[in-house]
Amino acid sequence: MADTNLELLKKPLYVFDLPSELLVTLRLKDLSLLQPVVEVLAGSPEETKADHAPSANGETKPQLACQLCSAPSFHSVQEQRIHVKSDWHKYNLKQKVNGRKAVSEVEFEKLMNELDESISGSCSESSESEVESEGTPESKLDALLKRQTRLSHGDGGVEDFTLNKRKRGSGKPPLIWFSTPLLHPNTSLGFYKALFTNTENEEHDAVEVIRKKQLRPVPSKSHPRDGSNGVPLPSTMTSPSIFMCMIGGGHFAGMIVSLAPKIGKQATGAEQRQALVIAHKTFHRYTTRRKQGGAQSASDSAKGAAHSAGSSLRRYNEVALEQEIRALLAEWSNLIGNAQLIFVRATGSSNRRILFGSYEGQVLRQNDPRNRTFPFSTRRATQAELMRAFVELTRVKVSQVDEAALAAAAAAAQSEADAKKAAENMPVAVSKPKIPKEEEEASLHTSQIQALIRRSKAPALLSYFSANSLSPNHPFHPPSAQANHHAPTPLHLASSSNSYVVVLALLTKADADPTIQNAEGKPAFDLAGDRATRDSFRVARSELGEAKWDWNAAHVPSPLSKAESEQRDQREKAEAEKTKNERRKAEEERLRRENPVEVESKKGVKVLGAVTKTAEEKREEEARGMTPEMRTRVERERRARAAEERMKRMNGGK
């Protein structure tokens, strides 16, 4: 089997030209083991779930049922999935969304029979407007829902109420998987469902559909049918083809490719199957602003028409691109009409309007059952990207997955999710640790004392100590806090805050101990940040005396009386004032030496050393603080006065 596996997978497998031995042994893959036991529907996670019923031996086993439809228990998961996809279940989903009561199976059959009678005769003909975008006619379920809406709300609400259709990305797998005994049991072969028509997708025997789609390769040189030496045109080819096009951002690419491969030869002489391109064309126009995105017409509709040169050019290019694309579609109308499938990628409403909009000679129709979208991500619309998309579509996907391990992982994930959900639903009592009363009071005192110290409220602090019978060395709580680690007592905090008034009050009036050290081994004096705070310690040493505390252990220098401190402050202030006056006099003397010009002061006395200003400097000083308009007006008036003075002088002062 290993040799066969390598031989089959040695070259990429083409969907429409599979080996005969692979077609004979191909069978549909059963993916039921890879999915959870209970299928969760989008939008209603609790509508279909497994109940639990006790067995004879007391164990709890999952019982498959549908609570929404009140259906009896299902014997297998497959039966439950069939029920979920039935019109009865979908109808009850709509009933629940609209706030109505679900119906039983007998009642649903009765409603469907009444619907068959009401739509018989001429009413059974479906119009073009009733055809869905995928090309399938309106189902009986849609007709039943529309009829109920018509009876409830009148005819006006029929168009607004339709069954929600499954959109792209809703969870429907784009691939259908097959297996073969020629390959390893964990190897699966995938085919894109988009390659099959609507009729082929509805058939139950998918293997037979693939066998019917096999095509014979086309030789590299076709033999003329009329006996001439010419080569038949692509339009005369009878092999099925597909039409692919992409449009977006001003780029358009279209291609018609035959599904029958073309046999060519490599440089070594070996045969090679290649894609047979019947026709291809690409266009590009400047229609979107760089790094902005969106068509110019969409921007005009949202923000109003712009009047720049670029916007005018983009509008012209949009019209030109639309004309070119529609002319190309008209030229290819016969080839597109004979195409088996149509793959379109059109981003935005304006691009879809170019392809599917109503115009004379329209080629592509929105309700064409051949319309498809690419079931994978695509890049910029180019010929190379279209060829890559064709290869991706028609190449068989090979997947090697350990199904047993995947099923075990899915079961483990499901059990973990159930356990997590049960834990979330279980009420959890959050109990906060009870703080002792003593610690609570200590924390309250700490916050109050620290607030008073930071605001330098010395009298209020002393009153708080007296009213609460607290020691001036009251330790802050909790000690483990970073701030309390650095300043554990009121004296430490006052010293580190440079509050010399509070420091002096604590030492002289509250008898605070200056020898207490913090966790770093520093007394309160070492935390002082300015000279005034350090002087308050020295003044306290002078007032309290040497016998009160061990001032050397507190690192407090020699004592300093309050009078000496005030005298020193006054002396330093006088020296600073004297230094300032001397500096000012020296600066004035320097200015007199550099500018020995006499100017007349306001009192008419000539002052030596005054600096004269030029006319330009005077004008700048006068215009300082004015706005540019005011300066222009003043300059205009000044020039007008100067012109008047000149005219007077010329007229002899008259």
Side-chain angles (χ1 to χ4, degrees):
M1 179 181 294
D3 297 339
T4 307
N5 190 359
L6 294 176
E7 186 65 26
L8 286 176
L9 302 180
K10 186 177 180 180
K11 296 181 180 179
L13 297 176
Y14 184 62
V15 174
F16 300 98
D17 188 18
L18 295 174
S20 57
E21 62 272 15
L22 184 62
L23 286 173
V24 174
T25 59
L26 200 64
R27 64 173 180 268
L28 188 63
K29 189 81 172 180
D30 184 11
L31 300 179
S32 60
L33 298 176
L34 302 182
Q35 298 180 359
V37 175
V38 180
E39 182 174 348
V40 181
L41 298 177
S44 55
E46 298 181 356
E47 291 163 357
T48 304
K49 61 182 181 180
D51 297 333
H52 292 78
S55 60
N57 56 3
E59 296 180 358
T60 302
K61 296 182 179 180
Q63 183 180 6
L64 303 177
C66 179
Q67 292 185 351
L68 177 64
C69 302
S70 300
S73 302
F74 303 103
H75 298 288
S76 64
V77 179
Q78 190 66 24
E79 291 184 6
Q80 187 186 26
R81 292 199 181 100
I82 294 175
H83 167 73
V84 169
K85 297 177 182 179
S86 64
D87 290 345
W88 177 30
H89 184 81
K90 294 178 181 178
Y91 178 78
N92 284 334
L93 281 178
K94 273 296 178 184
Q95 292 290 96
K96 183 176 180 180
V97 170
N98 296 326
R100 301 191 184 100
K101 184 179 179 182
V103 299
S104 62
E105 187 174 8
V106 177
E107 294 174 345
F108 180 73
E109 292 294 337
K110 184 178 179 181
L111 292 173
M112 296 299 289
N113 293 334
E114 294 177 357
L115 178 66
D116 292 338
E117 296 176 359
S118 64
I119 63 175
S120 60
S122 60
C123 296
S124 62
E125 298 179 0
S126 59
S127 61
E128 184 179 349
S129 61
E130 293 175 345
V131 181
E132 300 175 353
S133 60
E134 292 82 6
T136 58
E138 182 185 40
S139 64
K140 291 184 179 181
L141 181 58
D142 289 338
L144 178 59
L145 294 172
K146 287 184 178 181
R147 183 190 179 198
Q148 285 191 349
T149 308
R150 187 185 300 111
L151 296 176
S152 302
H153 307 285
D155 296 338
V158 176
E159 297 180 357
D160 299 333
F161 186 87
T162 55
L163 182 65
N164 289 337
K165 300 177 181 62
R166 188 180 295 273
K167 299 181 180 180
R168 179 182 179 184
S170 58
K172 207 169 186 178
L175 293 166
I176 180 171
W177 295 95
F178 296 87
S179 62
T180 175
L182 299 178
L183 302 177
H184 194 273
N186 293 337
T187 303
S188 303
L189 302 179
F191 299 77
Y192 277 110
K193 294 180 181 179
L195 288 175
F196 305 105
T197 61
N198 296 336
T199 306
E200 292 172 347
N201 281 323
E202 293 176 358
E203 294 186 9
H204 298 286
D205 193 354
V207 177
E208 186 63 26
V209 172
I210 293 178
R211 291 171 183 169
K212 292 180 181 179
K213 295 183 75 68
Q214 299 304 302
L215 301 172
R216 298 171 60 182
V218 178
S220 58
K221 294 184 179 179
S222 303
H223 298 284
R225 299 181 181 179
D226 54 358
S228 63
N229 295 327
V231 178
L233 295 175
S235 59
T236 64
M237 294 184 179
T238 58
S239 61
S241 60
I242 61 173
F243 170 68
M244 301 186 301
C245 69
M246 298 180 184
I247 180 173
H251 295 266
F252 172 82
M255 181 183 292
I256 299 177
V257 190
S258 174
L259 296 178
K262 179 178 67 173
I263 298 179
K265 288 188 177 182
Q266 298 180 352
T268 58
E271 290 187 354
Q272 181 183 15
R273 285 171 170 76
Q274 301 174 354
L276 178 58
V277 179
I278 300 175
H280 64 86
K281 188 67 175 178
T282 58
F283 296 114
H284 173 56
R285 290 276 185 173
Y286 171 61
T287 60
T288 58
R289 189 176 177 183
R290 187 167 181 259
K291 296 184 179 180
Q292 296 292 326
Q296 183 63 41
S297 58
S299 178
D300 293 344
S301 301
K303 305 177 183 178
H307 302 287
S308 61
S311 62
S312 301
L313 181 60
R314 288 189 289 271
R315 292 191 196 95
Y316 170 79
N317 287 334
E318 284 184 7
V319 177
L321 181 63
E322 178 179 344
Q323 294 175 353
E324 291 174 348
I325 293 175
R326 290 182 175 178
L328 178 66
L329 295 178
E331 182 181 352
W332 289 358
S333 58
N334 293 332
L335 296 175
I336 296 175
N338 296 329
Q340 193 177 70
L341 297 173
I342 297 176
F343 288 88
V344 178
R345 190 212 70 187
T347 57
S349 59
S350 59
N351 293 326
R352 295 193 65 84
R353 180 182 55 79
I354 294 176
L355 299 178
F356 299 104
S358 178
Y359 63 93
E360 185 178 358
Q362 182 178 355
V363 179
L364 298 179
R365 302 283 179 178
Q366 184 72 32
N367 54 6
D368 195 334
R370 300 175 298 170
N371 289 346
R372 298 288 188 274
T373 58
F374 293 96
F376 45 81
S377 300
T378 56
R379 295 185 285 270
R380 175 177 291 179
T382 59
Q383 181 182 351
E385 179 61 16
L386 283 178
M387 183 55 64
R388 186 193 72 85
F390 176 78
V391 173
E392 177 69 18
L393 279 170
T394 57
R395 181 171 292 178
V396 179
K397 305 298 176 293
V398 181
S399 174
Q400 295 182 355
V401 178
D402 190 352
E403 299 178 2
L406 188 60
Q414 184 66 25
S415 61
E416 184 179 354
D418 295 341
K420 185 177 180 181
K421 185 176 181 181
E424 291 177 355
N425 295 334
M426 185 180 299
V428 180
V430 181
S431 59
K432 295 182 179 180
K434 189 176 181 180
I435 302 176
K437 186 177 180 181
E438 294 78 7
E439 294 184 4
E440 187 176 358
E441 291 181 356
S443 300
L444 178 61
H445 291 323
T446 298
S447 61
Q448 295 293 333
I449 293 173
Q450 290 177 349
L452 293 174
I453 293 175
R454 290 191 178 97
R455 290 183 293 174
S456 298
K457 302 292 184 180
L461 180 62
L462 298 177
S463 300
Y464 188 84
F465 283 145
S466 177
N468 294 277
S469 301
L470 296 177
S471 170
N473 302 318
H474 176 75
F476 291 150
H477 187 83
S480 59
Q482 181 65 26
N484 300 338
H485 174 82
H486 180 68
T489 64
L491 187 59
H492 281 85
L493 181 60
S495 178
S496 63
S497 302
N498 296 328
S499 181
Y500 63 93
V501 177
V502 178
V503 169
L504 187 60
L506 287 173
L507 290 173
T508 58
K509 298 181 180 180
D511 291 338
D513 188 358
T515 61
I516 298 177
Q517 299 179 352
N518 60 7
E520 299 173 355
K522 296 180 180 180
F525 180 83
D526 293 346
L527 304 182
D530 58 358
R531 193 178 70 175
T533 306
R534 291 190 291 270
D535 288 348
S536 61
F537 282 93
R538 298 177 63 187
V539 171
R541 181 175 182 177
S542 174
E543 293 182 359
L544 296 176
E546 297 293 331
K548 181 65 176 179
W549 305 107
D550 188 359
W551 299 104
N552 295 327
H555 299 174
V556 178
S558 59
L560 178 69
S561 64
K562 185 176 294 186
E564 293 175 352
S565 176
E566 292 177 354
Q567 291 176 2
R568 187 192 61 188
D569 292 342
Q570 293 177 358
R571 184 171 60 254
E572 291 179 353
K573 186 177 180 180
E575 291 178 356
E577 187 67 22
K578 181 179 179 181
T579 304
K580 182 179 179 182
N581 293 334
E582 291 177 353
R583 189 184 304 112
R584 184 171 60 252
K585 290 180 180 180
E587 184 67 18
E588 292 176 355
E589 185 66 23
R590 185 183 63 81
L591 291 176
R592 290 191 186 97
R593 290 195 304 269
E594 293 179 356
N595 303 293
V597 181
E598 291 185 359
V599 296
E600 189 174 357
S601 64
K602 295 182 180 179
K603 297 182 179 180
V605 180
K606 294 183 179 180
V607 179
L608 183 63
V611 181
T612 59
K613 297 182 180 180
T614 62
E616 183 66 24
E617 292 176 349
K618 291 180 179 179
R619 285 196 298 270
E620 290 181 357
E621 185 176 359
E622 292 175 357
R624 188 175 301 146
M626 296 183 181
T627 61
E629 293 80 3
M630 295 175 62
R631 291 181 180 180
T632 304
R633 190 181 300 110
V634 171
E635 184 67 18
R636 189 183 299 113
E637 293 177 356
R638 184 185 63 79
R639 291 181 179 179
R641 288 195 299 269
E644 292 177 358
E645 292 293 334
R646 287 196 300 271
M647 294 295 293
K648 288 182 180 180
R649 287 195 297 268
M650 291 174 61
N651 295 332
K654 296 181 180 180

